[in-house]
Amino acid sequence: MPLQMENLIWLGVGGAVLCLGFALLQLRRALGPKVEANDPLQGWYKAIREGERAFFKVQYPLLFGAFCLIFALFVALFSGGLLPDPFFPAAFFSGGVCGTLVCLIGTKVSDAAGIAAARAAGESFNRALGTVFSSGAVAGFLAAGLGLAHVTGWILFLKYQMGYTPDAIAGTMIPFGAGACLMALLLRLGGSFFSQAANLGSRMAEGTEETLGPAVARCVGGGAGCMGGLGAGLYESYVASLLAALALGAASAEDGLMWSALVLPLAVAAIGAFCSMIATLLIRSREKAGQRELLFILRKGCYTAAILTGAVCIPVTYLLFGSWELWFPVLTGLVAGCIFSYWTECSTSAAYGPVHQLSRAAETGTEGALLEGLRLGLRSTAGTVFIASASILIAFLSAGGTLSGDPSVFFKGCYAVALAGVGMLSTAGITLAAGSMGPGCRNASRLAEAQWPEDGAVTERSRALSFLGSSAMAGGKGFDAGASFLTAAAMLLACVVLLRSQLPSGTLQLTHPAALAGILLGVMTAFAFAALVIKGVQRSVQAGAEELRRQRRESRETSDRKPAQSGPTAFVGRCAKSALRQMAAPILLAALSPVAAGLILGVPGMLGLVFGVMISGFALSVYMSNTGSAWGNAMEYIESGKLGGKGSACHKAATVCAGVGDPFREVAGPALNQLMKLCAAMALLTTPLLLSFDFYAFLAAILG
């Protein structure tokens, strides 16, 4: 090699420092000027801060405690000789801690940015847009920075302090991704259940004296369920894609190129982060810009980041491998990410024809709107699945893989698929900034309209913000689904590659009876998981409604209400506790189903289950997210004055559909993305146990 390629690992450190520094710069813009005592939004600021504290006080200690128990279980397994590496528990724990940090900071910044953007909306739409975009940029670049910092930090520690080889490094870091996946699912479900309960409470309280508690909970829930959940989800996609690429690179690289195979994913991620910073400078808007123009501005930033990243990666790839062959998979991932977002926007945004058609269907009543929304969701799923399929095939073939199954190039083709996932997520900083600005836009819109209800200019700006936020969130969900599928596919391929030389021939074929049974169980797991999630939403919503009724009874019974019992913190606390209770069943199903399949059906059954979860979970996630987003955006389109406007029969039908779609787009759809990755991560994590543990012999020994 002309260079000591392992020294280029420090590119990851440089990228992490740049990302974290840029997130800090964006933080100042997102928070805006300090809230003064005479600020008209001072009351909202204090109430939202109180609601945040109440939410964090209930959710985070219990989640952290549960995670510590799992960490203790890993320590016990290592002590019993069932885990091969002493750093497995620490890697698992650090992955979860980083995901929690992204979610926590993202939630707090989103809530604060909502106040700052509402204040800015009183003066200029461009200032309000810049504020909410900066809040998303904080979460996006924080996720990228922490992901790069921790992955690179582990590599440097294991190489220079422990003397590990590249393949040993990749194997040791697998639990890092599993910890991030598990914590991301916990945070996504907890925040989303809470958010749905808050949304219903806010609708029930409209026009009554109990509006403060539900309204505050709705603001906090938007940050926790959308900004925080999406941030934690993309963080774990980011690190999981890097780890899958490291594992496949170590397995596929020729002698002398192993360090190059480990360095390339880190270099692509660092380059993508830097190019994303440059592209954020393009996010500027004129006053009274239309929705299509605003969406184009966001796309222009994301596309510019992808183009710059692709261009810079050409010489880097050549430097590391002496050819441009592995540049094509990176380019495939970059292009696929842009297409995922654009296709989802066109299918679900109020600026395009499909949602206009859905809105007109609401003129025939609720049934017509429901049927048209279901049709739209099914149709949009076909396009997303086609894009994902094409991306995997193009990445595999462009690196020299063949559809004939030639084993000599199979590993390299799998590595190329993982590189496509890394390429897609390399611009996660600006993509997450655009996709997660929805909560800030919505909160700013509500607060601005509540504070200046008679100001027509403010109302117009706030509605434009709300429209933009909803459309941007829909595009972000499309990107998240595509990135999650590619990441899960790379992790499954890594598991197959790791097992290929350790199992008898034919064991890993899809026609194996255990694999077929596992595929069917995996399909069932995705649907059962979605059912449990929707059931959790319903129970959380019911808890929020009961708390609101309790406050009303208390208000009638006594004129001396205590703020601690009937104020905003009481509503927030009740909804947060209910959300925690509803998380248990779906979490246990997601985490234990691969392990159970592996113990009972063996490795073929476990891989079959993960395969089934990926296929059905991906299609179901896209369908639910797009259907719910289309219904919600159709309601906002009608509220803007179209087809009779707010209060019309058409609006009432669309409102019912939006209420049905909220659990689809905000909870079940995004949670299925986490399910795919968690099942794949658990399969990777439990592979060493399955190879050294005979479950049936263990049962026979117990039963005598």
Side-chain angles (χ1 to χ4, degrees):
M1 291 185 297
L3 293 173
Q4 292 295 320
M5 292 303 174
E6 59 266 34
N7 293 332
L8 294 179
I9 294 172
W10 290 94
L11 283 173
V13 176
V17 171
L18 284 175
C19 284
L20 296 176
F22 190 76
L24 189 61
L25 290 175
Q26 292 294 315
L27 178 62
R28 297 186 62 183
R29 187 182 182 191
L31 298 181
K34 183 180 179 181
V35 179
E36 304 293 342
N38 60 349
D39 192 298
L41 294 171
Q42 172 70 12
W44 282 105
Y45 180 79
K46 290 183 176 179
I48 290 174
R49 285 301 185 195
E50 289 179 10
E52 270 182 2
R53 285 193 289 269
F55 175 77
F56 293 148
K57 184 178 179 181
V58 170
Q59 288 239 338
Y60 279 76
L62 288 176
L63 291 182
F64 188 72
F67 210 74
C68 287
L69 288 177
I70 300 173
F71 171 72
L73 174 62
F74 272 93
V75 173
L77 289 174
F78 173 72
S79 301
L82 295 176
L83 289 180
D85 196 286
F87 296 108
F88 264 41
F92 179 86
F93 188 76
S94 63
V97 169
C98 289
T100 305
L101 191 59
V102 172
C103 184
L104 176 66
I105 295 176
T107 300
K108 294 180 74 68
V109 171
S110 177
D111 294 338
I115 298 288
R119 191 188 307 114
E123 304 172 9
S124 163
F125 177 81
N126 195 43
R127 286 188 58 191
L129 173 62
T131 300
V132 291
F133 181 80
S134 293
S135 69
V138 172
F141 286 97
L142 178 67
L146 281 180
L148 268 175
H150 272 77
V151 171
T152 309
W154 270 103
I155 293 175
L156 292 174
F157 170 74
L158 294 173
K159 171 178 168 48
Y160 291 108
Q161 293 297 320
M162 306 305 300
Y164 279 26
T165 59
D167 53 341
I169 291 174
T172 300
M173 293 177 62
I174 286 172
F176 183 88
C181 289
L182 179 58
M183 184 54 80
L185 183 56
L186 287 167
L187 295 170
R188 166 69 80 176
L189 288 179
S192 298
F193 287 157
F194 171 80
S195 176
Q196 292 302 299
N199 287 345
L200 178 70
S202 183
R203 289 194 292 268
M204 289 178 61
E206 284 183 358
T208 68
E209 61 181 4
E210 295 92 358
T211 56
L212 181 60
V216 168
R218 194 174 189 179
C219 291
V220 176
C226 298
M227 174 77 86
L230 182 59
L234 274 183
Y235 165 79
E236 54 99 353
S237 290
Y238 195 84
V239 298
S241 67
L242 286 174
L243 295 176
L246 295 179
L248 289 167
S252 64
E254 303 171 0
D255 292 340
L257 291 176
M258 196 167 286
W259 282 112
S260 296
L262 263 67
V263 166
L264 182 57
L266 298 177
V268 171
I271 291 168
F274 179 71
C275 295
S276 297
M277 296 176 203
I278 297 173
T280 58
L281 301 175
L282 301 177
I283 309 299
R284 296 289 185 274
S285 169
R286 65 179 179 86
E287 294 294 322
K288 298 185 179 180
Q291 284 300 305
R292 289 202 180 194
E293 182 180 345
L294 292 172
L295 289 172
F296 174 75
I297 291 170
L298 293 179
R299 284 199 302 269
K300 181 173 64 174
C302 296
Y303 293 174
T304 300
I307 292 170
L308 292 175
T309 302
V312 178
C313 284
I314 295 176
V316 172
T317 306
Y318 188 83
L319 172 67
L320 291 172
F321 289 93
S323 72
W324 295 300
E325 191 176 50
L326 289 175
W327 172 74
F328 291 101
V330 175
L331 180 65
T332 300
L334 290 167
V335 173
C338 296
I339 298 177
F340 275 129
S341 298
Y342 181 69
W343 173 261
T344 308
E345 281 180 12
C346 290
S347 301
T348 61
S349 172
Y352 295 96
V355 171
H356 297 172
Q357 186 175 349
L358 172 58
S359 302
R360 287 192 294 271
E363 293 180 315
T364 64
T366 305
E367 295 86 351
L370 285 170
L371 288 173
E372 180 62 21
L374 294 174
R375 184 198 68 82
L376 192 157
L378 291 170
R379 190 193 69 174
S380 66
T381 302
T384 306
V385 170
F386 177 81
I387 297 165
S389 303
S391 301
I392 291 176
L393 283 175
I394 292 172
F396 185 83
L397 295 174
S398 65
T402 62
L403 297 182
S404 63
D406 183 359
S408 63
V409 292
F410 176 75
F411 288 177
K412 190 174 182 180
C414 292
Y415 178 57
V417 173
L419 283 179
V422 173
M424 181 185 295
L425 286 159
S426 64
T427 59
I430 191 170
T431 304
L432 181 55
S436 63
M437 58 188 285
C441 287
R442 289 177 178 178
N443 290 351
S445 175
R446 298 186 193 111
L447 295 176
E449 289 187 356
Q451 192 62 41
W452 299 287
E454 306 299 329
D455 192 325
V458 173
T459 300
E460 184 178 350
R461 293 178 197 133
S462 62
R463 285 179 179 173
L465 272 179
S466 181
F467 263 51
L468 179 62
S470 298
S471 298
M473 284 179 63
K477 287 182 172 65
F479 179 89
D480 186 28
S484 297
F485 180 75
L486 276 184
T487 301
M491 296 171 76
L492 181 61
L493 289 173
C495 195
V496 171
V497 167
L498 291 175
L499 295 174
R500 193 176 181 89
S501 62
Q502 303 180 46
L503 294 173
S505 176
T507 304
L508 300 180
Q509 293 180 357
L510 291 179
T511 54
H512 192 286
L516 289 173
I519 291 172
L520 289 175
L521 291 174
V523 172
M524 178 273 297
T525 298
F527 281 85
F529 178 84
L532 289 173
V533 168
I534 292 176
K535 181 180 180 181
V537 171
Q538 190 272 330
R539 289 186 173 179
S540 296
V541 164
Q542 185 177 358
E546 290 174 354
E547 173 61 22
L548 196 60
R549 296 189 189 104
R550 184 196 68 79
Q551 291 189 18
R552 289 175 177 172
R553 288 195 304 270
E554 187 180 86
S555 177
R556 288 194 298 267
E557 292 170 359
T558 176
S559 59
D560 184 23
R561 291 187 301 164
K562 297 180 180 180
Q565 294 178 341
S566 57
T569 56
F571 186 84
V572 170
R574 175 70 182 274
C575 293
K577 290 177 182 177
S578 174
L580 274 176
R581 288 194 292 271
Q582 309 315 318
M583 290 165 55
I587 289 293
L588 289 174
L589 176 65
L592 298 182
S593 55
V595 179
L599 291 174
I600 297 172
L601 299 175
V603 172
M606 178 190 68
L607 295 181
L609 182 134
V610 175
F611 185 76
V613 167
M614 280 175 48
I615 300 304
S616 60
F618 177 50
L620 189 59
S621 168
V622 174
Y623 164 69
M624 298 182 84
S625 295
N626 288 358
T627 302
S629 296
W631 277 330
N633 290 339
M635 182 190 69
E636 291 196 16
Y637 177 74
I638 296 171
E639 287 179 349
S640 68
K642 304 293 191 298
L643 304 175
K646 198 170 184 178
S648 64
C650 188
H651 177 252
K652 291 177 182 177
T655 301
V656 173
C657 294
V660 175
D662 268 354
F664 278 33
R665 65 170 175 171
E666 303 290 356
V667 193
L672 283 164
N673 296 332
Q674 261 75 55
L675 173 70
M676 292 187 291
K677 292 174 288 187
L678 180 59
C679 285
M682 292 301 295
L684 261 175
L685 190 61
T686 55
T687 295
L689 291 174
L690 293 176
L691 294 176
S692 60
F693 180 72
D694 190 333
F695 177 67
Y696 292 103
F698 177 73
L699 278 182
I702 291 180
L703 297 176

